[in-house]
Structure formats: C-alpha cells, structure tokens
Amino acid sequence: MDGWVISRQAPAPVTEPWGLRVDVGLPGHVARHIIPDADPATLTRLSTALTAPGTWLKICAPADAVAPWLAPGWAVQKPEYLMTIALAPEPAQAPPGYTLAVTTRAGVTVARLLTAAGEVAARGQLAVTRATAVVDQVETAAGHRRRGLGTVVMRTLTATAASLGARTGVLVATADGHALYSTLGWTLHSPMTAAVLLAP
C-alpha cells in the first residue's frame, strides 16, 4: 500500500481494525479501504457505516464472496487480480518507430513509449518502498495496441525496480492486464473485488 500512495501522491495509509484506509480526497474517490479478509460481518458493518459517495472498498476476495454482504448502494466493479513477481533486471528496447523515455520524480518512476510526433503510445509507473515495487497505471493508447508496447513498458519498470534494490513486484490487474502480465511471469496472489458507494 505504501507504494500505491507514493505513486498516486496520496496521504499515508492509516491502520484500521479491518485493514488500511487511505484518505484520497478526490472527486469520486474520497477514500479507499483495503480489506485483506472478506469477513461477512466486517463487510456488512463497514459498508453500512460508510456514507460518503465515492468511497471505495478493495477486498482480497472474489466478487461472489463480497457482493452478498454489502449494504445497498455499493456497486461492484469488474474483477481485478493482485499479482506478484520476483524482480530481475530484464531491460527492454523500444520497437522501431518509438522512443523509450524513463523519468523519476518524487519517488515515482514513469516509463513512456513516445511516437515520432511525441505522443504517448504506452506508459506505466512504479514506486519502490524498501524491497517492494508497486507497478501502477499501465496503459497503451488504443491506436498502438497489440504491438508489444505494454511488454516493453513492463520490462522497463521491473528492470528499474530491480536496479533500485526491490526484490518483489506487486500490481493489481484488470482482466486484460492479467493475461499480459501472466505471460511476463507475474503470478496470481489473490482475486480482488472493488466496490464504490454511489450517490443516492
């Protein structure tokens, strides 16, 4: 969680009886609660007590173990996957027609693949905390998909993390991301369910 808050420039996480809370403070993302154990009583109590629209729950469990215990008003999102990898220096080169740019600022390393016109074709970022690196916000622009750009970005990020002393990479993937990252050696640690409290 520490790497995620650095990556997003969010406040430090606060320990709660159910896990962690991050007061993100953005429209549509007021706070984020990380719940490592999908205990039904905890889910019902917490989802009933929280009343601010834009509050998110991130739960280490599949949706069918979460949804029945949430209070009305919570919208379960598409499945996510918590994945990990043992980091190794495997640098990658930009394919023809693209330039790889890597920058680090305020503890966040960003890898971007740029077109000849300077447009961002693919990007991703990471933050390292001690021996762990959190990979975040990896995306490829629609017109540049299926060209291996995501692989280049991921290998660049993991190689950078390894060079900074991190030993384990962590990320939360979408279904599409899960397929890509699995081919790169990432393994599933836990299914994840995200739910957001909607405005009445």
Side-chain angles (χ1 to χ4, degrees):
M1 195 66 211
D2 289 342
W4 186 87
V5 300
I6 293 172
S7 176
R8 301 294 179 98
Q9 301 295 293
V14 177
T15 300
E16 296 281 8
W18 56 84
L20 296 172
R21 184 189 84 241
V22 179
D23 296 316
V24 182
L26 296 174
H29 198 162
V30 175
R32 170 177 289 221
H33 298 262
I34 312 300
I35 306 170
D37 180 15
D39 171 65
T42 298
L43 294 178
T44 299
R45 183 173 63 254
L46 187 59
S47 64
T48 301
L50 298 171
T51 59
T55 298
W56 286 76
L57 303 179
K58 288 279 193 169
I59 306 149
C60 296
D64 59 3
V66 170
W69 308 107
L70 298 179
W74 290 87
V76 173
Q77 306 299 293
K78 293 180 180 179
E80 297 179 338
Y81 307 89
L82 179 63
M83 305 184 75
T84 61
I85 193 173
L87 296 172
E90 296 181 275
Q93 293 185 344
Y98 298 93
T99 300
L100 178 62
V102 181
T103 58
T104 300
R105 181 178 180 184
V108 180
T109 297
V110 179
R112 297 177 298 157
L113 282 168
L114 307 175
T115 66
E119 299 172 339
V120 178
R123 70 167 313 279
Q125 63 192 54
L126 70 83
V128 174
T129 56
R130 297 173 294 280
T132 302
V134 173
V135 176
D136 190 26
Q137 295 187 327
V138 178
E139 55 187 349
T140 301
H144 300 273
R145 292 173 184 162
R146 302 192 182 280
R147 301 181 188 179
L149 304 189
T151 296
V152 173
V153 168
M154 288 298 296
R155 286 184 172 159
T156 300
L157 291 174
T158 54
T160 300
S163 72
L164 294 173
R167 296 191 298 274
T168 302
V170 178
L171 59 77
V172 175
T174 62
D176 288 343
H178 177 266
L180 168 63
Y181 306 143
S182 294
T183 67
L184 299 177
W186 291 75
T187 59
L188 178 64
H189 181 77
S190 172
M192 294 286 294
T193 298
V196 59
L197 182 59
L198 303 178

